[in-house]
């Protein structure tokens, strides 16, 4: 029973991710509970769509399990999943290639000189 209790306590010490892939969904749910409580969402349902980032080549079963958890445990209306590197690329391309109307006279591109 000693090894069984230490193994059970190790489960609670683990992070939800191993090599950037969700493996421990109970820990993932606990992290989500904390995040939603910090955001002031105290109901059992989240009434807002979620944007979730993931790593490149995330296994399909992890994505499906994560979305299932978000829909069933939190009643999320919709989930958008995107690769974090592509979000960064998109943001940086918008930042440096399309000037906003407020600063058309000033270039947002870094100077090469």
């Amino acid at each position: 029973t000693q090894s069984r209790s230490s193994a059970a306590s190790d489960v609670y010490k683990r992070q939800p991710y191993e090599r950037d892939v969700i493996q421990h969904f109970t820990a993932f749910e606990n992290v989500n509970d904390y995040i939603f409580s910090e955001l002031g969402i105290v109901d059992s349902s989240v009434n807002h769509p979620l944007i979730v980032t993931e790593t490149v080549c995330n296994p399909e079963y992890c994505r499906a399990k994560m979305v299932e958890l978000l829909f069933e445990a939190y009643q999320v209306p919709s989930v958008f999943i995107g690769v974090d590197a592509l979000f960064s690329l998109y943001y940086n391309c918008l930042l440096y290639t399309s000037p906003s109307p407020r600063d058309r006279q000033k270039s947002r591109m870094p100077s090469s000189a």
Side-chain angles (χ1 to χ4, degrees):
T1 62
Q2 180 70 5
S3 64
R4 183 179 256 185
S5 64
S6 66
S9 66
D10 286 343
V11 170
Y12 295 111
K13 293 178 187 176
R14 287 185 174 177
Q15 297 179 356
Y17 301 97
E18 285 184 13
R19 297 184 184 150
D20 295 334
V21 176
I22 299 173
Q23 296 294 326
H24 308 287
F25 288 95
T26 52
F28 180 70
E29 187 173 2
N30 291 336
V31 169
N32 283 334
D33 288 341
Y34 176 77
I35 290 170
F36 292 140
S37 69
E38 287 296 310
L39 291 173
I41 301 171
V42 293
D43 298 336
S44 63
S45 65
V46 177
N47 297 323
H48 305 284
L50 293 181
I51 296 177
V52 179
T53 62
E54 66 180 10
T55 59
V56 178
C57 300
N58 193 27
E60 183 68 32
Y61 73 90
C62 291
R63 184 182 305 129
K65 183 75 172 170
M66 178 184 61
V67 170
E68 178 183 338
L69 176 74
L70 291 172
F71 283 135
E72 291 181 1
Y74 303 104
Q75 289 82 38
V76 174
S78 62
V79 177
F80 176 79
I81 300 173
V83 176
D84 52 0
L86 292 178
F87 280 141
S88 177
L89 177 69
Y90 179 74
Y91 173 77
N92 287 317
C93 284
L94 282 180
L95 181 67
Y96 290 118
T97 59
S98 60
S100 67
R102 71 177 187 276
D103 58 359
R104 287 198 186 271
Q105 70 276 5
K106 182 178 171 184
S107 174
R108 293 168 69 180
M109 290 294 292
S111 63
S112 61

